[in-house]
Amino acid sequence: MKGILLIAHGSRVQETKEVAYGYFEDLQKKYKNCKLGFMEFNEPSIEDAVKEFLKEKVEEIVVLPLFLFEGMHIKKDIPEILEKYPIKFKILKPILYDKRVSDILFERIEKSEVY
């Protein structure tokens, strides 16, 4: 059995948690076994989410980072957290550059009546 782990950074600002949960709820509508884990500041932690998967006897976790860039959290911190657990992980790339994100930015500029 496989699971999907959406990882968000986390923040002390409540609205950021709500955004992460919005994406998580969208995932749950399409995929059966999803969990959300935060790097810091919010719950559940990545560790808590992985422990839940282990209880459910999940054999492989697809890790979906809700990050724009491939910084130290993606390259180092997340793999170090995950390697502690006896389960197979496949870490997907973060969003990186994607023209669709630029389209969202353009749309927001146009709606702002700035230009």
Side-chain angles (χ1 to χ4, degrees):
M1 182 165 58
K2 288 185 181 182
I4 298 172
L5 174 58
L6 179 66
I7 295 180
H9 187 277
S11 171
R12 291 182 184 98
V13 178
Q14 180 63 28
E15 292 83 5
T16 62
K17 183 177 178 181
E18 292 166 6
V19 170
Y21 269 97
Y23 285 109
F24 177 61
E25 289 166 7
D26 289 345
L27 277 177
Q28 287 182 308
K29 291 174 188 170
K30 185 161 179 147
Y31 302 101
K32 284 184 181 180
N33 198 6
C34 300
K35 303 223 180 298
L36 173 62
F38 292 94
M39 285 286 312
E40 51 193 29
F41 304 117
N42 302 116
E43 296 293 329
S45 67
I46 296 169
E47 293 89 341
D48 290 341
V50 172
K51 288 174 187 174
E52 287 298 313
F53 279 127
L54 288 171
K55 287 181 193 174
E56 298 166 5
K57 309 283 191 238
V58 169
E59 297 168 357
E60 182 178 352
I61 298 174
V62 175
V63 178
L64 180 60
L66 190 54
F67 289 72
L68 281 177
F69 311 106
E70 198 165 26
M72 290 307 292
H73 284 322
I74 303 296
K75 292 182 178 184
K76 182 178 180 292
D77 300 334
I78 292 172
E80 284 180 358
I81 292 169
L82 299 177
E83 71 184 9
K84 299 173 191 173
Y85 298 95
I87 194 166
K88 183 179 177 183
F89 293 96
K90 180 177 183 176
I91 302 174
L92 303 179
K93 293 279 188 191
I95 296 168
L96 302 173
Y97 172 77
D98 188 314
K99 176 72 169 84
R100 293 169 293 181
V101 174
S102 294
D103 292 340
I104 293 168
L105 297 174
F106 299 153
E107 179 182 311
R108 292 201 177 156
I109 291 169
E110 289 164 13
K111 284 183 179 179
S112 76
E113 299 178 11
V114 173
Y115 284 90

